């Protein structure tokens, strides 16, 4: 087998492995205008287990052509977009109340945390309005109660009671969107757990990438070795040719110097 044939064989092998992996995890999205869902996320009803790390909270599903993620501490949130390069998950609250999400969403048992810098804010509920000096959160308030959030620490009036102090990206503002502003999350991939089959399956995608990378390295190394062997063989052939030419020249010279040639 010559160098070109061997190189093509290795290239075909690597491409076959790549195609096999892509076939096992086909691209998926919700609706024609949706974004592509790939590792570590998995579209639960369309992609097999090894395509994502669903056991750790990366499962997504479709609802009315929208992509949705479920958080046990809050419920469902709509995924507006995913940036895999910056590892950012942009979410929308279908209830149009970001501060209800901030107040109840517990990310401590998930691989996610807020993308933006956090500050401690205190939510408090008042029986009477505090007036225009403090912005009331409409989606959490009613005719008999008024909910506010201010940066901690804070002293609240006697007519108010503290609900909770939480670390969130932003306080309420009437100028900001009530459905999405601040709902940007990033994620960390958890370490694989040997005793968990699902965790191993989720991490198999990384193993597949490593196989492809190793295959590419082997391909380049094999090509380099074959080129080196080819160059070495060429040098050996050239060396033998030079030695044969030198031997022939020396033989001719010796024949010219022999007594038989001199007598002639």
């Amino acid at each position: 087998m010559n160098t070109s044939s061997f190189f093509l064989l290795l290239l075909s092998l690597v491409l076959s492995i790549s195609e096999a992996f892509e076939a096992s995890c086909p691209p998926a999205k919700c609706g024609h205008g949706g974004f592509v869902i790939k590792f570590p996320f998995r579209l639960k009803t369309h992609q097999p287990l090894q395509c994502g790390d669903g056991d750790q909270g990366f499962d997504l599903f479709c609802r009315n052509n929208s992509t949705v993620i479920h958080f046990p501490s809050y419920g469902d949130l709509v995924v507006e977009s995913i940036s895999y390069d910056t590892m950012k998950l942009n979410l929308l609250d279908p209830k149009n109340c970001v501060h209800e999400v901030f107040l109840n969403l517990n990310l401590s048992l998930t691989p996610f945390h807020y993308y933006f810098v956090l500050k401690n804010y205190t939510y408090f509920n008042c029986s009477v309005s505090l007036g225009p000096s403090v912005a009331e959160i409409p989606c959490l308030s009613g005719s008999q109660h008024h909910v506010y959030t201010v940066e901690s620490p804070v002293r609240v009036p006697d007519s108010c009671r503290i609900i909770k102090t939480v670390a969130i990206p932003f306080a309420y503002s009437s100028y900001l969107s009530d459905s999405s502003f601040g709902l940007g999350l990033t994620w960390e991939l958890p370490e694989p757990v040997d005793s968990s089959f699902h965790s191993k399956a989720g991490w198999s995608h990384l193993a597949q990438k490593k196989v492809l990378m190793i295959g590419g390295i082997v391909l380049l190394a094999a090509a380099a070795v074959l080129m080196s062997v080819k160059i070495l063989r060429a040098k050996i052939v050239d060396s033998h040719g030079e030695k044969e030419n030198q031997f022939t020249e020396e033989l001719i010279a010796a024949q010219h110097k022999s007594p038989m040639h001199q007598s002639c």
Side-chain angles (χ1 to χ4, degrees), residues 23 59 91 123 179 208:
D59 273 347
L91 303 175
Y123 287 84
S179 65
Q208 293 170 357

Side-chain angles (χ1 to χ4, degrees), residues 124 126-136 146 148 150 156-157 159-160:
F124 54 95
C126 303
S127 57
V128 296
S129 173
L130 299 182
S133 59
V134 184
E136 181 179 315
H146 310 270
Y148 305 88
V150 294
V156 299
S159 61
C160 306

Side-chain angles (χ1 to χ4, degrees), residues 38 73-74 96 116 123 139 145-146 179 186 210 215 218 223 225:
K38 60 183 180 180
S73 62
Y74 180 76
N96 290 321
F116 304 100
Y123 287 84
C139 63
H145 66 283
H146 310 270
S179 65
T186 186
K210 288 182 179 179
V218 169
V225 169

Side-chain angles (χ1 to χ4, degrees), residues 84-104:
Y84 296 95
D85 294 332
T86 59
M87 298 178 67
K88 185 182 180 186
L89 183 73
N90 294 306
L91 303 175
L92 295 172
D93 179 27
K95 301 176 185 177
N96 290 321
C97 191
V98 167
H99 281 273
E100 184 179 3
V101 181
F102 287 159
L103 193 57
N104 295 288

Side-chain angles (χ1 to χ4, degrees), residues 7-73:
F7 183 82
L8 290 174
L9 180 62
L10 282 176
L11 181 61
S12 300
L13 179 61
V14 172
L15 291 176
S16 297
I17 294 173
S18 176
E19 290 174 359
F21 288 158
E22 289 179 359
S24 65
C25 291
K29 57 184 179 180
C30 297
H32 295 295
F35 51 86
V36 174
I37 297 169
K38 60 183 180 180
F39 188 86
F41 297 92
R42 175 179 76 109
L43 192 56
K44 191 172 182 179
T45 56
H46 291 71
Q47 294 173 311
L49 187 63
Q50 69 269 17
C51 295
D53 210 347
D55 195 48
Q56 301 296 332
F58 289 96
D59 273 347
L60 306 177
F61 57 95
C62 298
R63 179 186 295 156
N64 299 325
N65 290 328
S66 295
T67 308
V68 178
I69 186 170
H70 178 78
F71 291 96
S73 62

Side-chain angles (χ1 to χ4, degrees), residues 185-229:
L185 304 182
T186 186
W187 64 85
E188 294 179 0
L189 291 175
E191 292 295 329
V193 180
D194 290 339
S195 60
S196 171
F197 168 79
H198 297 293
S199 181
K200 287 181 179 179
W203 277 81
S204 67
H205 186 90
L206 294 180
Q208 293 170 357
K209 285 190 172 182
K210 288 182 179 179
V211 168
L212 290 176
M213 182 177 66
I214 292 171
I217 293 173
V218 169
L219 184 63
L220 291 174
V225 169
L226 288 173
M227 290 298 296
S228 299
V229 170

Side-chain angles (χ1 to χ4, degrees), residues 2-4 223-238:
N2 58 32
T3 304
S4 300
V225 169
L226 288 173
M227 290 298 296
S228 299
V229 170
K230 191 172 182 180
I231 292 171
L232 181 60
R233 283 181 177 176
K235 287 183 177 180
I236 292 173
V237 170
D238 290 342

